[in-house]
Amino acid sequence: MTGYRTLAAKGEAELVIQRSRFIGRGFPVESEAAALAILADIRKAHWDASHNCFAYRIGPDGGCARYSDDGEPGGTAGLPMMEVLKSRGLTDLLVVVTRYFGGILLGAGGLVRAYTQAVKEGLDHCETGIMRKGCELEVTTDYNDVGKLQYYFGQQGIVPVDSIYAENVKFILLVPVEKEDSLRKNLTETTCGKVKIEKLKETYFIDKE
């Protein structure tokens, strides 16, 4: 199935290394502007921190990417954080590691390890998923076939986005584009051709891992 890995929900983790406090956070973002807005909020909230280092990748192939050491020695924070994102195949996300200096110098190697560990642990506390291209379908049936459709949905692990009960019954489904044709065929067979299926729009959605 086509798609790319991203975050389904934000998360954070905190660790202490040689008395320095590191807070690693991950956020799902859809644009560079969104990433920068979150970063500005973190810098405001942690104005007294020694450093707020970050890295982000935007787009299906991570084509929009940027990172910063925020005052740490060059190459010891932002770049290692970016390498974690690449190694995990994640995009459309921002990671920020906030550091409160504890008085003990870690050295270049120690900083690389600390920021790498902080961003990994922060991501480990985030929910991940696959961003897929999908389509929203409106499935209309009469009340006689509702049970058949609900049974089929249950077998296939399909959870309707919405169910509307009026003169007829309408189910709103969100499915991957590559499954649309087979779904149409199966629903038509299940109801002996009585079901009506209309594509409302194409969209993207996160399939949680």
Side-chain angles (χ1 to χ4, degrees):
M1 298 176 71
T2 58
Y4 58 89
R5 294 191 73 227
T6 187
L7 300 185
K10 64 181 181 180
E12 70 175 70
E14 184 174 328
L15 58 151
V16 177
I17 300 174
Q18 294 294 314
R19 298 182 184 175
S20 280
R21 178 185 170 207
F22 293 85
I23 307 170
R25 296 181 175 90
F27 304 87
V29 294
E30 297 180 353
S31 66
E32 186 173 27
L36 294 176
I38 293 172
L39 179 61
D41 288 341
I42 290 178
R43 284 174 168 168
K44 183 177 180 180
H46 294 276
W47 59 270
D48 57 339
S50 307
H51 309 278
N52 285 293
C53 305
F54 70 88
Y56 60 74
R57 300 182 78 214
I58 310 293
D61 60 353
C64 176
R66 184 182 168 196
Y67 59 85
S68 171
D69 297 310
D70 194 34
E72 293 281 27
T76 61
L79 181 57
M81 293 166 63
M82 178 64 75
E83 290 303 317
V84 173
L85 304 188
K86 290 180 178 180
S87 68
R88 295 197 178 192
L90 292 166
T91 188
D92 276 3
L93 79 161
L94 162 74
V95 289
V96 182
V97 176
T98 298
R99 182 192 183 189
Y100 286 89
F101 183 56
I104 299 177
L105 297 176
L106 301 181
L111 287 172
V112 170
R113 288 189 293 272
Y115 278 98
T116 298
Q117 181 182 353
V119 75
K120 283 182 176 180
E121 293 197 15
L123 289 173
D124 287 344
H125 284 76
C126 297
E127 189 173 11
T128 59
I130 305 296
M131 183 68 77
R132 303 192 188 282
K133 186 176 183 180
C135 55
E136 193 173 276
L137 303 178
E138 181 184 78
V139 179
T140 304
T141 186
D142 59 32
Y143 281 86
N144 293 328
D145 288 326
V146 169
K148 294 178 183 178
L149 291 183
Q150 289 176 329
Y151 178 74
Y152 176 79
F153 294 157
Q155 280 190 318
Q156 300 300 315
I158 299 172
V159 180
V161 176
D162 196 9
S163 301
I164 304 167
Y165 293 85
E167 182 179 351
N168 293 311
V169 181
K170 294 183 178 181
F171 297 105
I172 308 299
L173 309 180
L174 187 59
V175 299
V177 290
E178 64 268 23
K179 290 188 175 182
E180 180 186 356
D181 290 343
S182 62
L183 180 66
R184 285 178 178 273
K185 178 182 177 182
N186 292 336
L187 293 181
T188 299
E189 292 177 351
T190 298
T191 61
C192 297
K194 292 187 291 182
V195 71
K196 178 183 176 183
I197 305 172
E198 180 182 354
K199 181 187 290 188
L200 300 180
K201 63 180 180 180
E202 290 192 351
T203 185
Y204 285 87
F205 69 99
I206 292 182
D207 189 3
K208 296 181 180 179
E209 293 183 308

